[in-house]
PDB file of all heavy atoms in Angstrom:
ATOM      1  N   ALA I 239     172.122 127.327 132.412  1.00 98.00           N
ATOM      2  CA  ALA I 239     173.142 126.273 132.313  1.00 98.00           C
ATOM      3  C   ALA I 239     173.132 125.617 130.934  1.00 98.00           C
ATOM      4  O   ALA I 239     174.199 125.330 130.367  1.00 98.00           O
ATOM      5  CB  ALA I 239     172.905 125.228 133.397  1.00 98.00           C
ATOM      6  N   SER I 240     171.958 125.376 130.384  1.00 98.00           N
ATOM      7  CA  SER I 240     171.859 124.764 129.060  1.00 98.00           C
ATOM      8  C   SER I 240     172.529 125.624 127.996  1.00 98.00           C
ATOM      9  O   SER I 240     173.222 125.117 127.113  1.00 98.00           O
ATOM     10  CB  SER I 240     170.380 124.549 128.691  1.00 98.00           C
ATOM     11  OG  SER I 240     169.740 123.710 129.618  1.00 98.00           O
ATOM     12  N   SER I 241     172.342 126.931 128.114  1.00 98.00           N
ATOM     13  CA  SER I 241     172.959 127.864 127.163  1.00 98.00           C
ATOM     14  C   SER I 241     174.474 127.819 127.257  1.00 98.00           C
ATOM     15  O   SER I 241     175.174 127.834 126.244  1.00 98.00           O
ATOM     16  CB  SER I 241     172.461 129.285 127.445  1.00 98.00           C
ATOM     17  OG  SER I 241     171.056 129.368 127.345  1.00 98.00           O
ATOM     18  N   VAL I 242     174.983 127.759 128.480  1.00 98.00           N
ATOM     19  CA  VAL I 242     176.430 127.731 128.699  1.00 98.00           C
ATOM     20  C   VAL I 242     177.041 126.420 128.215  1.00 98.00           C
ATOM     21  O   VAL I 242     178.086 126.409 127.558  1.00 98.00           O
ATOM     22  CB  VAL I 242     176.753 127.965 130.193  1.00 98.00           C
ATOM     23  CG1 VAL I 242     178.216 127.669 130.488  1.00 98.00           C
ATOM     24  CG2 VAL I 242     176.406 129.392 130.581  1.00 98.00           C
ATOM     25  N   VAL I 243     176.395 125.313 128.529  1.00 98.00           N
ATOM     26  CA  VAL I 243     176.923 123.999 128.136  1.00 98.00           C
ATOM     27  C   VAL I 243     177.062 123.886 126.622  1.00 98.00           C
ATOM     28  O   VAL I 243     178.039 123.311 126.121  1.00 98.00           O
ATOM     29  CB  VAL I 243     176.017 122.872 128.690  1.00 98.00           C
ATOM     30  CG1 VAL I 243     176.367 121.528 128.052  1.00 98.00           C
ATOM     31  CG2 VAL I 243     176.152 122.781 130.202  1.00 98.00           C
ATOM     32  N   ARG I 244     176.137 124.460 125.876  1.00 98.00           N
ATOM     33  CA  ARG I 244     176.214 124.400 124.418  1.00 98.00           C
ATOM     34  C   ARG I 244     177.428 125.139 123.875  1.00 98.00           C
ATOM     35  O   ARG I 244     177.880 124.879 122.759  1.00 98.00           O
ATOM     36  CB  ARG I 244     174.926 124.967 123.798  1.00 98.00           C
ATOM     37  CG  ARG I 244     173.747 124.003 123.888  1.00 98.00           C
ATOM     38  CD  ARG I 244     172.576 124.487 123.039  1.00 98.00           C
ATOM     39  NE  ARG I 244     171.874 125.617 123.654  1.00 98.00           N
ATOM     40  CZ  ARG I 244     170.866 125.503 124.492  1.00 98.00           C
ATOM     41  NH1 ARG I 244     170.430 124.297 124.847  1.00 98.00           N
ATOM     42  NH2 ARG I 244     170.270 126.564 125.001  1.00 98.00           N
ATOM     43  N   ALA I 245     177.985 126.055 124.668  1.00 98.00           N
ATOM     44  CA  ALA I 245     179.129 126.850 124.217  1.00 98.00           C
ATOM     45  C   ALA I 245     180.466 126.304 124.695  1.00 98.00           C
ATOM     46  O   ALA I 245     181.502 126.597 124.104  1.00 98.00           O
ATOM     47  CB  ALA I 245     178.978 128.287 124.707  1.00 98.00           C
ATOM     48  N   ALA I 246     180.459 125.526 125.773  1.00 98.00           N
ATOM     49  CA  ALA I 246     181.708 125.112 126.423  1.00 98.00           C
ATOM     50  C   ALA I 246     182.212 123.790 125.865  1.00 98.00           C
ATOM     51  O   ALA I 246     181.616 122.742 126.100  1.00 98.00           O
ATOM     52  CB  ALA I 246     181.491 124.991 127.930  1.00 98.00           C
ATOM     53  N   SER I 247     183.328 123.849 125.155  1.00 97.00           N
ATOM     54  CA  SER I 247     183.890 122.639 124.564  1.00 97.00           C
ATOM     55  C   SER I 247     185.010 122.037 125.406  1.00 97.00           C
ATOM     56  O   SER I 247     185.371 120.880 125.214  1.00 97.00           O
ATOM     57  CB  SER I 247     184.411 122.931 123.152  1.00 97.00           C
ATOM     58  OG  SER I 247     185.468 123.883 123.197  1.00 97.00           O
ATOM     59  N   ARG I 248     185.583 122.837 126.340  1.00 97.00           N
ATOM     60  CA  ARG I 248     186.679 122.300 127.146  1.00 97.00           C
ATOM     61  C   ARG I 248     186.573 122.633 128.635  1.00 97.00           C
ATOM     62  O   ARG I 248     187.098 121.914 129.461  1.00 97.00           O
ATOM     63  CB  ARG I 248     188.034 122.791 126.620  1.00 97.00           C
ATOM     64  CG  ARG I 248     188.250 124.291 126.740  1.00 97.00           C
ATOM     65  CD  ARG I 248     189.628 124.687 126.275  1.00 97.00           C
ATOM     66  NE  ARG I 248     190.670 123.997 127.014  1.00 97.00           N
ATOM     67  CZ  ARG I 248     191.081 124.349 128.219  1.00 97.00           C
ATOM     68  NH1 ARG I 248     190.501 125.347 128.855  1.00 97.00           N
ATOM     69  NH2 ARG I 248     192.048 123.698 128.818  1.00 97.00           N
ATOM     70  N   SER I 249     185.885 123.673 128.999  1.00 98.00           N
ATOM     71  CA  SER I 249     185.777 124.054 130.406  1.00 98.00           C
ATOM     72  C   SER I 249     184.854 123.104 131.164  1.00 98.00           C
ATOM     73  O   SER I 249     183.902 122.562 130.602  1.00 98.00           O
ATOM     74  CB  SER I 249     185.218 125.479 130.539  1.00 98.00           C
ATOM     75  OG  SER I 249     186.027 126.409 129.869  1.00 98.00           O
ATOM     76  N   LEU I 250     185.131 122.922 132.450  1.00 98.00           N
ATOM     77  CA  LEU I 250     184.229 122.210 133.352  1.00 98.00           C
ATOM     78  C   LEU I 250     183.091 123.166 133.711  1.00 98.00           C
ATOM     79  O   LEU I 250     183.342 124.287 134.151  1.00 98.00           O
ATOM     80  CB  LEU I 250     184.974 121.777 134.610  1.00 98.00           C
ATOM     81  CG  LEU I 250     184.170 121.028 135.672  1.00 98.00           C
ATOM     82  CD1 LEU I 250     183.955 119.578 135.228  1.00 98.00           C
ATOM     83  CD2 LEU I 250     184.881 121.054 137.024  1.00 98.00           C
ATOM     84  N   VAL I 251     181.856 122.742 133.532  1.00 98.00           N
ATOM     85  CA  VAL I 251     180.701 123.601 133.811  1.00 98.00           C
ATOM     86  C   VAL I 251     180.042 123.165 135.118  1.00 98.00           C
ATOM     87  O   VAL I 251     179.554 122.041 135.238  1.00 98.00           O
ATOM     88  CB  VAL I 251     179.669 123.571 132.669  1.00 98.00           C
ATOM     89  CG1 VAL I 251     178.467 124.452 133.011  1.00 98.00           C
ATOM     90  CG2 VAL I 251     180.305 124.024 131.362  1.00 98.00           C
ATOM     91  N   VAL I 252     180.046 124.074 136.095  1.00 98.00           N
ATOM     92  CA  VAL I 252     179.460 123.834 137.417  1.00 98.00           C
ATOM     93  C   VAL I 252     178.245 124.747 137.574  1.00 98.00           C
ATOM     94  O   VAL I 252     178.305 125.925 137.219  1.00 98.00           O
ATOM     95  CB  VAL I 252     180.485 124.116 138.533  1.00 98.00           C
ATOM     96  CG1 VAL I 252     179.863 123.858 139.903  1.00 98.00           C
ATOM     97  CG2 VAL I 252     181.742 123.282 138.342  1.00 98.00           C
ATOM     98  N   VAL I 253     177.167 124.206 138.121  1.00 98.00           N
ATOM     99  CA  VAL I 253     175.915 124.965 138.240  1.00 98.00           C
ATOM    100  C   VAL I 253     175.490 125.063 139.701  1.00 98.00           C
ATOM    101  O   VAL I 253     175.462 124.067 140.421  1.00 98.00           O
ATOM    102  CB  VAL I 253     174.788 124.295 137.424  1.00 98.00           C
ATOM    103  CG1 VAL I 253     173.505 125.130 137.487  1.00 98.00           C
ATOM    104  CG2 VAL I 253     175.220 124.097 135.977  1.00 98.00           C
ATOM    105  N   ASP I 254     175.144 126.263 140.128  1.00 98.00           N
ATOM    106  CA  ASP I 254     174.623 126.462 141.482  1.00 98.00           C
ATOM    107  C   ASP I 254     173.238 125.846 141.631  1.00 98.00           C
ATOM    108  O   ASP I 254     172.360 126.060 140.781  1.00 98.00           O
ATOM    109  CB  ASP I 254     174.505 127.964 141.794  1.00 98.00           C
ATOM    110  CG  ASP I 254     175.785 128.553 142.351  1.00 98.00           C
ATOM    111  OD1 ASP I 254     176.593 127.806 142.921  1.00 98.00           O
ATOM    112  OD2 ASP I 254     175.971 129.783 142.219  1.00 98.00           O
ATOM    113  N   LEU I 255     173.038 125.100 142.710  1.00 98.00           N
ATOM    114  CA  LEU I 255     171.677 124.745 143.102  1.00 98.00           C
ATOM    115  C   LEU I 255     171.078 125.980 143.767  1.00 98.00           C
ATOM    116  O   LEU I 255     171.650 126.505 144.725  1.00 98.00           O
ATOM    117  CB  LEU I 255     171.670 123.575 144.075  1.00 98.00           C
ATOM    118  CG  LEU I 255     171.918 122.170 143.517  1.00 98.00           C
ATOM    119  CD1 LEU I 255     171.730 121.125 144.611  1.00 98.00           C
ATOM    120  CD2 LEU I 255     171.007 121.861 142.352  1.00 98.00           C
ATOM    121  N   PRO I 256     169.945 126.478 143.286  1.00 96.00           N
ATOM    122  CA  PRO I 256     169.392 127.726 143.829  1.00 96.00           C
ATOM    123  C   PRO I 256     168.761 127.538 145.195  1.00 96.00           C
ATOM    124  O   PRO I 256     168.440 126.426 145.617  1.00 96.00           O
ATOM    125  CB  PRO I 256     168.347 128.126 142.784  1.00 96.00           C
ATOM    126  CG  PRO I 256     167.907 126.835 142.188  1.00 96.00           C
ATOM    127  CD  PRO I 256     169.137 125.966 142.163  1.00 96.00           C
ATOM    128  N   PHE I 257     168.580 128.648 145.871  1.00 94.00           N
ATOM    129  CA  PHE I 257     167.966 128.666 147.192  1.00 94.00           C
ATOM    130  C   PHE I 257     166.617 127.948 147.175  1.00 94.00           C
ATOM    131  O   PHE I 257     165.792 128.164 146.282  1.00 94.00           O
ATOM    132  CB  PHE I 257     167.769 130.111 147.655  1.00 94.00           C
ATOM    133  CG  PHE I 257     167.076 130.247 148.983  1.00 94.00           C
ATOM    134  CD1 PHE I 257     167.742 129.967 150.164  1.00 94.00           C
ATOM    135  CD2 PHE I 257     165.747 130.646 149.046  1.00 94.00           C
ATOM    136  CE1 PHE I 257     167.100 130.081 151.388  1.00 94.00           C
ATOM    137  CE2 PHE I 257     165.094 130.767 150.263  1.00 94.00           C
ATOM    138  CZ  PHE I 257     165.785 130.486 151.443  1.00 94.00           C
ATOM    139  N   GLY I 258     166.409 127.078 148.171  1.00 91.00           N
ATOM    140  CA  GLY I 258     165.148 126.364 148.287  1.00 91.00           C
ATOM    141  C   GLY I 258     165.083 125.047 147.556  1.00 91.00           C
ATOM    142  O   GLY I 258     164.090 124.329 147.662  1.00 91.00           O
ATOM    143  N   SER I 259     166.163 124.705 146.816  1.00 94.00           N
ATOM    144  CA  SER I 259     166.126 123.470 146.031  1.00 94.00           C
ATOM    145  C   SER I 259     166.899 122.336 146.678  1.00 94.00           C
ATOM    146  O   SER I 259     166.969 121.242 146.124  1.00 94.00           O
ATOM    147  CB  SER I 259     166.684 123.729 144.620  1.00 94.00           C
ATOM    148  OG  SER I 259     168.074 123.993 144.662  1.00 94.00           O
ATOM    149  N   TYR I 260     167.480 122.587 147.870  1.00 93.00           N
ATOM    150  CA  TYR I 260     168.268 121.527 148.505  1.00 93.00           C
ATOM    151  C   TYR I 260     168.334 121.627 150.028  1.00 93.00           C
ATOM    152  O   TYR I 260     168.616 120.643 150.715  1.00 93.00           O
ATOM    153  CB  TYR I 260     169.696 121.506 147.953  1.00 93.00           C
ATOM    154  CG  TYR I 260     170.508 122.747 148.246  1.00 93.00           C
ATOM    155  CD1 TYR I 260     171.349 122.825 149.354  1.00 93.00           C
ATOM    156  CD2 TYR I 260     170.455 123.863 147.411  1.00 93.00           C
ATOM    157  CE1 TYR I 260     172.102 123.956 149.624  1.00 93.00           C
ATOM    158  CE2 TYR I 260     171.193 124.987 147.665  1.00 93.00           C
ATOM    159  CZ  TYR I 260     172.023 125.038 148.772  1.00 93.00           C
ATOM    160  OH  TYR I 260     172.765 126.169 149.034  1.00 93.00           O
ATOM    161  N   GLN I 261     168.071 122.792 150.604  1.00 88.00           N
ATOM    162  CA  GLN I 261     168.221 122.962 152.049  1.00 88.00           C
ATOM    163  C   GLN I 261     167.177 122.155 152.818  1.00 88.00           C
ATOM    164  O   GLN I 261     165.986 122.265 152.556  1.00 88.00           O
ATOM    165  CB  GLN I 261     168.101 124.445 152.443  1.00 88.00           C
ATOM    166  CG  GLN I 261     169.247 125.299 151.942  1.00 88.00           C
ATOM    167  CD  GLN I 261     168.946 125.982 150.623  1.00 88.00           C
ATOM    168  OE1 GLN I 261     168.106 125.532 149.862  1.00 88.00           O
ATOM    169  NE2 GLN I 261     169.634 127.083 150.364  1.00 88.00           N
ATOM    170  N   GLY I 262     167.643 121.347 153.763  1.00 78.00           N
ATOM    171  CA  GLY I 262     166.743 120.677 154.685  1.00 78.00           C
ATOM    172  C   GLY I 262     166.069 119.429 154.167  1.00 78.00           C
ATOM    173  O   GLY I 262     165.341 118.765 154.906  1.00 78.00           O
ATOM    174  N   ASN I 263     166.297 119.055 152.912  1.00 90.00           N
ATOM    175  CA  ASN I 263     165.634 117.884 152.354  1.00 90.00           C
ATOM    176  C   ASN I 263     166.562 117.232 151.335  1.00 90.00           C
ATOM    177  O   ASN I 263     166.684 117.710 150.207  1.00 90.00           O
ATOM    178  CB  ASN I 263     164.316 118.285 151.700  1.00 90.00           C
ATOM    179  CG  ASN I 263     163.482 117.091 151.238  1.00 90.00           C
ATOM    180  OD1 ASN I 263     164.017 116.068 150.834  1.00 90.00           O
ATOM    181  ND2 ASN I 263     162.161 117.246 151.291  1.00 90.00           N
ATOM    182  N   SER I 264     167.218 116.156 151.721  1.00 95.00           N
ATOM    183  CA  SER I 264     168.215 115.537 150.854  1.00 95.00           C
ATOM    184  C   SER I 264     167.590 114.916 149.610  1.00 95.00           C
ATOM    185  O   SER I 264     168.225 114.860 148.556  1.00 95.00           O
ATOM    186  CB  SER I 264     169.015 114.489 151.634  1.00 95.00           C
ATOM    187  OG  SER I 264     168.175 113.432 152.068  1.00 95.00           O
ATOM    188  N   LYS I 265     166.343 114.451 149.724  1.00 95.00           N
ATOM    189  CA  LYS I 265     165.677 113.889 148.548  1.00 95.00           C
ATOM    190  C   LYS I 265     165.401 114.974 147.511  1.00 95.00           C
ATOM    191  O   LYS I 265     165.611 114.772 146.308  1.00 95.00           O
ATOM    192  CB  LYS I 265     164.364 113.212 148.960  1.00 95.00           C
ATOM    193  CG  LYS I 265     163.667 112.500 147.813  1.00 95.00           C
ATOM    194  CD  LYS I 265     162.406 111.776 148.278  1.00 95.00           C
ATOM    195  CE  LYS I 265     161.729 111.073 147.102  1.00 95.00           C
ATOM    196  NZ  LYS I 265     160.488 110.361 147.545  1.00 95.00           N
TER     197      LYS I 265
END
């Protein structure tokens, strides 16, 4: 994501939360 953000001057950059980083635990 950091690599992409440095290149994107006008596009909206959306990043996937990977498996195991959000399921079952909101904190």
Side-chain angles (χ1 to χ4, degrees):
S240 300
S241 301
V242 169
V243 168
R244 284 191 285 271
S247 63
R248 65 177 302 280
S249 302
L250 179 77
V251 179
V252 180
V253 183
D254 273 336
L255 284 186
F257 177 75
S259 69
Y260 64 94
Q261 292 95 337
N263 187 327
S264 63
K265 185 177 180 180

